[in-house]
Amino acid sequence: SILEDRVQKGIVHLNEILHGPVPKTSEDDRLDQEIKSKVSTYEELFTVLQLQVSYLATLSMTIKDEVSAEVFVNVVSAIFADLQDSRIRNLFILLLHLMTTKELESAKNIDDVFQPSSRVF
């Protein structure tokens, strides 16, 4: 199904982010079967993470270095990859709104807002 294909692509994308590209081997068929057997679990994980925009926004406030920021951006990009879906797009917009709100709340003065190191940009 389309959803299974999207979930599988998201899984591959997350694995590439965390471990680098995986070369194709003769074991691909076996791996594909393993992935397909876990699709519902990953589908549930993606759905839960998409719905936990408050958690993701709070998590974004804990980022202190470039490596963590890159991992966060890559994971969020994978979770919200299908922006053609209006539900996913609206949840992503809500995430950006919450991240912006949290950044504004944590700012001590106006010069602290929306710097190049901003979590939102």
Side-chain angles (χ1 to χ4, degrees), residues 2-69:
I2 294 172
L3 183 57
E4 288 177 352
D5 289 340
R6 289 179 182 166
V7 171
Q8 186 169 0
K9 286 179 184 176
I11 293 166
V12 169
H13 184 70
L14 282 175
N15 281 329
E16 286 178 355
I17 290 168
L18 298 174
H19 306 291
V22 178
K24 298 291 182 187
T25 66
S26 61
E27 296 181 358
D28 284 347
D29 291 336
R30 184 182 61 79
L31 291 175
D32 285 345
Q33 290 303 320
E34 287 179 29
I35 289 173
K36 286 179 182 178
S37 70
K38 297 177 183 177
V39 164
S40 64
T41 303
Y42 282 110
E43 179 182 314
E44 186 177 336
L45 174 64
F46 274 42
T47 301
V48 167
L49 288 172
Q50 286 172 345
L51 294 173
Q52 295 301 319
V53 291
S54 181
Y55 168 75
L56 291 173
T58 302
L59 183 63
S60 75
M61 296 302 292
T62 66
I63 297 171
K64 301 293 183 207
D65 59 59
E66 192 65 32
V67 174
S68 298

